[in-house]
Amino acid sequence: MRQYTERTLSAPENVSGFTLLELLVVMVIIGLLAGYVGPKYFAQVGKSEIKVARAQLVALDKALDQYRLDTGHYPTTDQGLAALNAAPANEPKWDGPYLKKAVPPDPWGNPYLYKIPGEHGSEFDLYSYGKDGQPGGEGEAADIYN
C-alpha cells in the first residue's frame, strides 16, 4: 500500500488561478462595453421600427391604389382600410381582397390611420402616430405619413 504523506495530499505549489482583483477588473471592462454597446444597439432597433412602418405604409398605399383602379375611387374614411380585405356595402366593382392578410398594426401595436381627403398634399392620408401613439412628437415618437 502506498503511504500518503501531508505533501501528497495538499494542492500542488505551482497551480495558479485568478485573483479577486483580476476578476473585478474583467467585470468592470465587461460592464463598460455593455454600457457603450447597449444604447447603440437599442437605437438601431428604434430606427428599424420606423423603416418597417414606412415599408408597411408603401404596401398599404399600393393596395389602396389597386382598390381605386378597380372601383374608380378610394375607400371613404368610414370604410377605412378594412375595405382592402372585405367588400364594402354597395361596391359592385370591388375585386379584392387587395391584401393577402389583414391590415397589420404599426410596429408599436397601434392601427394605421386613414383619412380622405388628405391634408398633406395627397388624395388621402395614411399614417402612424409613431411609438408614443400620439399626434406630433420627435424621433421615434414622430408621426409617419405616406
Side-chain angles (χ1 to χ4, degrees), residues 46-64 81 84 99 103-108 112 126-128 144-146:
K47 288 179 185 178
S48 67
E49 287 174 333
I50 292 169
K51 288 179 182 178
V52 166
R54 287 192 177 127
Q56 288 177 335
L57 285 173
V58 167
L60 292 172
D61 193 280
K62 289 179 182 179
L64 286 164
L81 297 175
L84 298 174
L99 296 172
V103 176
D106 69 14
W108 304 280
Y112 284 105
L126 183 59
Y127 55 99
S128 166
I144 305 167
Y145 283 87
N146 61 322

Side-chain angles (χ1 to χ4, degrees), residues 10-74:
S10 65
E13 292 178 19
N14 61 352
V15 173
S16 62
F18 295 107
T19 65
L20 181 60
L21 182 60
E22 290 170 330
L23 291 174
L24 288 174
V25 167
V26 169
M27 292 191 57
V28 166
I29 291 170
I30 291 172
L32 289 172
L33 286 173
Y36 178 74
V37 173
K40 293 195 180 291
Y41 171 75
F42 287 111
Q44 295 301 319
V45 170
K47 288 179 185 178
S48 67
E49 287 174 333
I50 292 169
K51 288 179 182 178
V52 166
R54 287 192 177 127
Q56 288 177 335
L57 285 173
V58 167
L60 292 172
D61 193 280
K62 289 179 182 179
L64 286 164
D65 286 342
Q66 185 63 45
Y67 178 99
R68 193 190 103 217
L69 287 172
D70 289 346
T71 63
H73 58 84
Y74 288 108

Side-chain angles (χ1 to χ4, degrees), residues 5-6 81 88:
T5 63
E6 184 178 323
L81 297 175

